Amino acid sequence: GAVVSQHPSWVICKSGTSVKIECRSLDFQATTMFWYRQFPKQSLMLMATSNEGSKATYEQGVEKDKFLINHASLTLSTLTVTSAHPEDSSFYICSALEGRSNEKLFFGSGTQLSVL
Amino acid sequence: GENVEQHPSTLSVQEGDSAVIKCTYSDSASNYFPWYKQELGKRPQLIIDIRSNVGEKKDQRIAVTLNKTAKHFSLHITETQPEDSAVYFCAASRGSNTGKLIFGQGTTLQVKP
């Protein structure tokens, strides 16, 4: 399957700081990437759709000013959690559709964010 | 809104037995149904998927069936092995958008040696 790389794999930060997470498609181009969030022992929830060269679209209830998404190239999308608070602690996973495999969704390795 | 219900939440089987996980979905426009396996702290791994124009798909020990009329689909694992132990998630696409998935609540499968 396609390879989606995510960095960092884990991060601990103080409340009020911002954290940037990178998502890269390594062996294919992705005009669209998707950011999901997963709380402990829960399911995955779609947060937003990242569109190369245009604004991201956010799911209902997700604050666009808090979760800044930038998709500057066909292989890179970034998610910045601004002014993080303990309730933002979660597993953030990016994903991308790989056209060669008939549009299957492949996930990055995830980023465990812990806000103290 | 769109919803995917998954059952059971936990499943324990003996090695070599079969395991079945069932999901129902609410969005009649959904046309893509993947299954993911997730080990603790790791990314979800796509194990099998099915599209709405197909009723059944098989890949070695894993099979998925889809009943579009009843809006339910199931994962079947035969000859289970301890390494099959993980959390399994079903998902349904939001309409035809295969990137926007609505996930079920997950099933923790334990295969006892």
Side-chain angles (χ1 to χ4, degrees):
Chain A
V3 180
V4 179
S5 172
Q6 190 170 339
H7 180 82
S9 55
W10 58 270
V11 59
I12 301 172
C13 69
K14 293 182 179 180
S15 186
T17 60
S18 295
V19 174
K20 180 186 281 189
I21 302 169
E22 292 187 349
C23 179
R24 295 179 185 273
S25 54
L26 295 186
D27 53 355
F28 65 101
Q29 293 182 332
T31 56
T32 306
M33 292 186 178
F34 304 87
W35 287 93
Y36 285 79
R37 179 167 57 183
Q38 185 177 32
F39 290 109
K41 297 187 178 181
Q42 293 191 26
S43 189
L44 290 87
M45 297 290 290
L46 177 64
M47 296 176 64
T49 302
S50 174
N51 304 298
E52 189 269 332
S54 64
K55 290 183 179 180
T57 54
Y58 292 81
E59 295 300 302
Q60 192 173 10
V62 178
E63 299 176 56
K64 61 180 171 68
D65 294 331
K66 181 167 188 63
F67 299 100
L68 301 180
I69 292 173
N70 186 297
H71 195 149
S73 76
L74 288 172
T75 59
L76 174 63
S77 174
T78 61
L79 169 69
T80 300
V81 183
T82 62
S83 186
H85 287 94
E87 57 264 31
D88 298 323
S89 298
S90 183
F91 192 51
Y92 292 87
I93 319 176
C94 69
S95 59
L97 290 174
E98 202 280 320
R100 289 173 299 178
S101 58
N102 199 24
E103 298 289 331
K104 296 178 190 289
L105 191 67
F106 291 93
F107 284 91
S109 49
T111 298
Q112 182 63 53
L113 171 64
S114 297
V115 185
L116 304 178
Chain B
E2 306 118 343
N3 188 43
V4 175
E5 293 288 334
Q6 182 172 346
H7 298 281
S9 56
T10 60
L11 180 58
S12 181
V13 299
Q14 209 64 37
E15 182 177 1
D17 288 349
S18 296
V20 180
I21 303 171
K22 299 182 179 182
C23 290
T24 59
Y25 62 97
S26 61
D27 184 0
S28 56
S30 296
N31 67 356
Y32 175 65
F33 308 91
W35 286 86
Y36 288 88
K37 174 183 179 183
Q38 187 179 32
E39 297 177 359
L40 189 63
K42 297 191 176 180
R43 78 182 83 194
Q45 296 273 13
L46 179 67
I47 56 172
I48 196 168
D49 58 4
I50 192 167
R51 296 186 185 270
S52 59
N53 57 346
V54 176
E56 185 174 355
K57 184 177 179 181
K58 189 173 182 180
D59 182 5
Q60 298 183 338
R61 298 186 296 110
I62 297 173
V64 57
T65 59
L66 170 65
N67 183 327
K68 202 158 166 57
T69 303
K71 292 192 221 171
H72 65 70
F73 56 115
S74 301
L75 177 71
H76 304 253
I77 306 175
T78 58
E79 301 173 27
T80 53
Q81 302 165 2
E83 50 265 38
D84 294 330
S85 298
V87 180
Y88 290 80
F89 290 98
C90 65
S93 64
R94 186 180 296 168
S96 59
N97 192 323
T98 55
K100 293 187 176 183
L101 299 177
I102 304 161
F103 282 84
Q105 297 86 347
T107 297
T108 301
L109 173 64
Q110 181 186 29
V111 180
K112 298 178 181 177

